[in-house]
Amino acid sequence: MIKLTKMPYGGDYNPEQWPEEVWEEDMRLFRQAGIDMVSVNVFGWGRIQPEEDVYDFGWLDRVLDLLQANGIRACLGTGTAVYPSWLGRRHAELQRVDFQGRKRKYGGRANFCPNSPVFRRYASALTERVAERYKDHPALAIWHVSNEYNGYCYCDNCADAFRRWLKERYGSVERVNEAWSTSFWNHLYYDWEDIVTPTETTIFWGDSKASYSGMVLDYMRFQSDSLLECYRMERAILKRITPGVPVTTNFMGYWKELDYFKWAREIDVITWDSYPEPGHTPARTAMWHDLMRGLKGGQPFLLLEQAPDHAQWMDYNVPKRPGVMRLWSYQAMARGADSVMFFQLRQSRGGGEKLHGAVIPHAGHGGTRVFREVAALGGELECLGDTLVGGVTPARIGLLFDWEIWWALELCAGPTKDLKYIDQVLKVYTAFYDQSLQVDLLHPDMDFAGYDILAAPALYMVPDGLAEKLERFTAAGGTFITTFFSGLADAHDRIVTGGYPGPLRKLLGIWVEESDILLPGVKNRVVAPQPAPAHTSQADAAHTTPEAPLLQPGEAFDCTLMCDILHTEGAEVHAVYGGDYYAGTPAVTCNRFGEGEAWYVATDADPRFMAGWVRRAVRKHGIAPVLETPVDVEAARRVKDGIAFIIVLNHAAESRTVRLNEACTDLLSGRLLCGDEELEPYGVRLLVHAETGASRVR
Ligand code: GLA
Ligand code: ZN
């Protein structure tokens, strides 16, 4: 791992787009802005290897030497994200076939078939050359493999590799038929050769729903693995030549195509690119960061890219208001980032990203608002030194997240097109976030010990062993919560028959008989149960007097999207539906299980309902918020060497007041704070308890 004496600060640098005279000026401006780490050679292949047998490293040597002379370290790209046109001209087989079945021609990036032997051979050769060339260069800090791996390929190479992948997993075609439920429409396979790639022209219907979801699920696993194999191939070369240098590739947050939990095992330090879009809530970005931190079980990550002001690829590329770049940088640091980096350092003159914001804009100098803000933050990070670096973010609340569940849920034809995995996870996350509670995003394979509350919204697919693990968690005193449309499918997306929620039925103490689907704009109500609900059975009625009611008599919340209609099998009823043919039947249940509780929220209830549930659950476990904050103010905690740092972020364009019950030092201003503190619009405070804090600032 790299030893950091301060947070690296910088971003993507593309000197190859500029004459060398400009480079000296870049260095001057970088120094002025406090920039000390840049990503270079991310797309360098075509420049380094202009012909099959010709390598030209001169320009990159000069760039790295210049960086070194200016005290700037390199996040050094292997350059394999875009292959050179001569390679495409000679070997059409390395070009992808897209989902529509079209063979791609040369152009764009990430346009290689991950299973192409030609691509793999040439990409390894380049990686080997780059690594040999720069293994001892003092500027080399970390390897940046390829760039934002993405996209699937459906070509013949991939079809062959898919069949091999299936043979290894299933052994026989019969077992594939079994796993993919191909007796449906008698779509049986007789020979491995019968299996083709699942493009739009084969077995799909619509643009994402699959008639054989088990097959598509496997294809998604396989394509994620195939790209991962390309990364692993480069990583192995880099590790052989430079065993001490960390290796990474940059992630993209909620990127559906790649199972980042699986990838994370092969990555030394998670790096990722954060581009919130207009309309994204601060909670959504916070969960992004928490997910990226969660990939390696809470290990800090590097924020490798963010826009200093605006992007160019969104529908509306709104510049960040004054203060927002700083605010979002601290939000990342609060949630585990050990660096702040931008795309891009100098704005391109041409090409598709010429209108993307940059630290040095087209004006060519530092006399701009954006540059001044970047330089000011650079100064602050200089002063903070290693204060937060390596700090952890302890949490007692876990939130389950799984790419495979996401894939399976959204491959389902039915029950409603509006049911989206990220939306459902984010709703539950936001309920915790709004109360300034720290949450860890966890993969089902991770250890749940140490958590008091575990939420698993939209747990549609239950991988093998998970139900038992959740039972153990709950029996030991944990509070478990899941939501509607959970427990339906196994790891091949086959329904677990005998009654929903299948493997979760015992834990939750319920049986879901059917589900109502609410059209857009249609609502039902979640209300406090009556002593003897009209439509519940004798058994249900026996359980309608919980010890601590979740809802007060007369309290009611709207619900939308979907309403599971269920029977209790031991669970207590904490809320019932207010309307329709299932009025009075359970909408929210709690099953006492061992020492703990397992909750089921059978519908998409108003956020105020979830907020109430969260208050009750954290009270039960004695979990306190990081800080009580007003609306729009986020508070998060990072702990380093036993010292807790509280980062307070005002996401509003107006000022907000927070109450500090204990004296704190704000490390950004050096001020001692106590009582009511007014945060300016987009204001940030980095607080530490007054007695421990002051000495931390350099
Ligand atoms: C990504 C890429 C960069 C650049 C930016 C633009 O994050 O990694 O190369 O294209 O997007 O926002
Ligand atoms: Zn392919």
Side-chain angles (χ1 to χ4, degrees):
M1 217 42 55
I2 2 172
K3 285 269 161 297
L4 297 174
T5 50
K6 73 170 275 291
M7 296 247 177
Y9 193 53
D12 272 45
Y13 180 41
N14 299 305
E16 68 273 23
Q17 295 179 14
W18 297 93
E20 296 197 17
E21 307 84 82
V22 178
W23 300 359
E24 284 292 345
E25 176 63 358
D26 289 335
M27 297 303 128
R28 191 184 68 76
L29 290 166
F30 291 172
R31 282 197 310 274
Q32 204 178 318
I35 284 170
D36 53 16
M37 167 100 90
V38 303
S39 298
V40 278
N41 196 41
V42 176
F43 303 107
W45 194 344
R47 170 103 20 178
I48 289 173
Q49 195 183 6
E51 286 175 52
E52 173 111 34
D53 301 317
V54 179
Y55 284 87
D56 171 13
F57 282 104
W59 68 277
L60 191 52
D61 292 353
R62 292 192 292 284
V63 170
L64 287 173
D65 292 349
L66 196 59
L67 294 174
Q68 171 63 17
N70 285 277
I72 299 172
R73 284 177 308 165
C75 176
L76 185 54
T78 56
T80 51
V82 173
Y83 57 82
S85 56
W86 59 261
L87 190 57
R89 179 181 0 111
R90 278 185 220 156
H91 301 277
E93 72 101 37
L94 59 49
Q95 284 153 5
R96 283 187 185 174
V97 167
D98 65 18
F99 174 65
Q100 284 72 27
R102 298 172 301 197
K103 177 78 175 169
R104 302 284 300 265
K105 297 212 165 123
Y106 180 74
R109 51 188 208 188
N111 182 21
F112 54 86
C113 163
N115 290 299
S116 156
V118 171
F119 175 76
R120 289 196 183 181
R121 190 167 75 242
Y122 282 90
S124 320
L126 181 74
T127 305
E128 176 110 24
R129 292 269 183 158
V130 173
E132 283 294 349
R133 182 96 185 174
Y134 299 114
K135 62 183 179 204
D136 297 320
H137 201 288
L140 170 63
I142 178 169
W143 289 113
H144 180 311
V145 173
S146 192
N147 189 64
E148 294 189 338
Y149 280 101
N150 69 86
Y152 291 168
C153 179
Y154 300 85
C155 76
D156 292 344
N157 285 326
C158 287
D160 285 342
F162 186 41
R163 290 180 204 118
R164 285 197 297 277
W165 188 92
L166 293 169
K167 274 182 204 164
E168 260 169 47
R169 274 198 159 209
Y170 294 103
S172 71
V173 179
E174 292 68 38
R175 291 189 57 208
V176 173
N177 281 322
E178 185 61 30
W180 294 354
S181 306
T182 53
S183 50
F184 170 70
W185 293 347
N186 284 322
H187 204 284
L188 299 163
Y189 297 106
Y190 307 95
D191 188 287
W192 292 107
E193 294 305 309
D194 296 338
I195 299 172
V196 294
T197 55
T199 57
E200 192 181 57
T201 51
T202 55
I203 57 153
F204 264 82
W205 76 53
D207 51 5
S208 65
K209 306 298 180 194
S211 35
Y212 296 93
S213 53
M215 177 193 204
V216 181
L217 195 56
D218 272 343
Y219 201 74
M220 296 178 89
R221 290 173 173 135
F222 158 73
Q223 280 287 318
S224 174
D225 285 358
S226 300
L227 282 167
L228 176 56
E229 211 32 58
C230 294
Y231 166 81
R232 291 182 67 232
M233 173 189 81
E234 291 195 32
R235 175 188 154 93
I237 297 166
L238 299 169
K239 285 290 170 192
R240 171 165 50 77
I241 299 171
T242 55
V245 180
V247 180
T248 192
T249 185
N250 46 342
F251 287 168
M252 293 180 276
Y254 311 132
W255 193 260
K256 192 173 174 184
E257 291 165 335
L258 307 182
D259 181 350
Y260 282 159
F261 272 111
K262 198 166 180 190
W263 279 64
R265 296 179 207 142
E266 314 281 340
I267 286 185
D268 294 327
V269 53
I270 299 293
T271 54
W272 89 280
D273 306 339
S274 175
Y275 292 95
E277 293 176 46
H280 285 183
T281 60
R284 190 183 163 101
T285 313
M287 187 169 104
W288 248 350
H289 292 304
D290 286 357
L291 178 61
M292 295 297 103
R293 187 187 71 239
L295 294 177
K296 284 187 86 69
Q299 189 180 298
F301 56 87
L302 300 180
L303 177 66
L304 208 66
E305 291 181 27
Q306 64 170 341
D309 50 354
H310 57 80
Q312 101 297 0
W313 49 264
M314 299 178 186
D315 287 344
Y316 302 97
N317 296 283
V318 181
K320 293 177 182 170
R321 308 342 259 173
V324 169
M325 181 280 287
R326 174 176 181 262
L327 173 77
W328 290 1
S329 300
Y330 278 102
Q331 185 188 33
M333 291 184 253
R335 301 196 165 272
D338 269 358
S339 72
V340 175
M341 294 176 67
F342 302 101
F343 180 89
Q344 53 194 333
L345 293 182
R346 186 181 276 274
Q347 196 169 19
S348 314
R349 281 192 63 193
E353 291 178 336
K354 63 184 184 299
L355 296 183
H356 194 295
V359 171
I360 308 170
H362 288 146
H365 55 72
T368 62
R369 169 182 78 84
V370 170
F371 185 87
R372 281 192 295 274
E373 288 189 39
V374 169
L377 181 59
E380 273 182 13
L381 295 183
E382 196 69 55
C383 291
L384 285 173
D386 68 351
T387 304
L388 293 174
V389 173
V392 293
T393 54
R396 290 166 60 189
I397 301 164
L399 180 61
L400 229 58
F401 191 99
D402 186 358
W403 263 262
E404 296 201 352
I405 296 173
W406 182 5
W407 296 340
L409 177 79
E410 295 183 9
L411 283 170
C412 278
T416 157
K417 77 176 179 65
D418 295 337
L419 178 57
K420 299 276 186 240
Y421 185 65
I422 300 288
D423 290 355
Q424 294 305 317
V425 178
L426 185 58
K427 273 182 194 164
V428 173
Y429 176 88
T430 304
F432 293 113
Y433 168 92
D434 284 347
Q435 294 180 38
S436 301
L437 294 157
Q438 305 260 125
V439 174
D440 279 345
L441 277 282
L442 304 172
H443 185 268
D445 285 349
M446 287 176 167
D447 191 359
F448 303 156
Y451 295 96
D452 295 313
I453 299 174
L454 190 63
L459 189 54
Y460 163 73
M461 188 174 87
V462 183
D464 288 346
L466 179 60
E468 297 72 24
K469 204 170 158 185
L470 295 172
E471 285 175 7
R472 287 194 296 278
F473 167 82
T474 311
T479 295
F480 172 68
I481 183 168
T482 185
T483 59
F484 55 98
F485 204 56
S486 285
L488 272 81
D490 71 5
H492 300 293
D493 198 24
R494 292 175 303 204
I495 295 299
V496 180
T497 53
Y500 313 137
L504 303 175
R505 192 164 165 183
K506 177 167 147 224
L507 172 60
L508 295 166
I510 55 166
W511 165 46
V512 176
E513 184 180 340
E514 61 170 325
S515 304
D516 189 20
I517 296 305
L518 278 51
L519 295 175
V522 176
K523 289 178 178 161
N524 201 331
R525 307 278 282 165
V526 168
V527 301
Q530 299 300 311
H535 292 88
T536 46
S537 65
Q538 281 293 306
D540 291 340
H543 292 284
T544 48
T545 342
E547 278 168 22
L550 185 61
L551 302 185
Q552 297 309 315
E555 223 182 337
F557 297 94
D558 285 345
C559 63
T560 54
L561 191 68
M562 184 161 177
C563 299
D564 281 349
I565 302 168
L566 60 90
H567 305 266
T568 57
E569 296 177 336
E572 295 164 353
V573 177
H574 280 255
V576 296
Y577 291 111
D580 222 311
Y581 69 97
Y582 44 95
T585 68
V588 179
T589 60
C590 172
N591 195 34
R592 283 158 208 280
F593 193 90
E595 302 292 304
E597 297 178 342
W599 289 80
Y600 192 72
V601 180
T603 181
D604 195 0
D606 184 286
R608 288 175 308 122
F609 167 81
M610 268 313 291
W613 183 87
V614 164
R615 272 193 295 277
R616 184 184 195 276
V618 296
R619 202 181 318 121
K620 176 169 192 269
H621 289 284
I623 303 174
V626 171
L627 189 73
E628 304 266 1
T629 56
V631 145
D632 297 324
V633 177
E634 173 177 340
R637 185 196 296 117
R638 258 186 108 169
V639 178
K640 182 168 173 194
D641 302 333
I643 299 174
F645 298 90
I646 295 183
I647 299 94
V648 188
L649 307 153
N650 179 14
H651 290 283
E654 301 97 43
S655 43
R656 292 276 189 271
T657 302
V658 288
R659 156 126 330 165
L660 303 170
N661 292 324
E662 290 174 85
C664 301
T665 306
D666 171 26
L667 297 187
L668 300 177
S669 63
R671 285 190 306 131
L672 193 67
L673 313 179
C674 196
D676 281 353
E677 168 69 359
E678 188 177 305
L679 299 168
E680 65 285 3
Y682 308 126
V684 180
R685 300 289 182 277
L686 173 51
L687 304 178
V688 65
H689 209 273
E691 288 142 40
T692 43
S695 62
R696 301 292 311 177
V697 194
R698 281 194 173 172

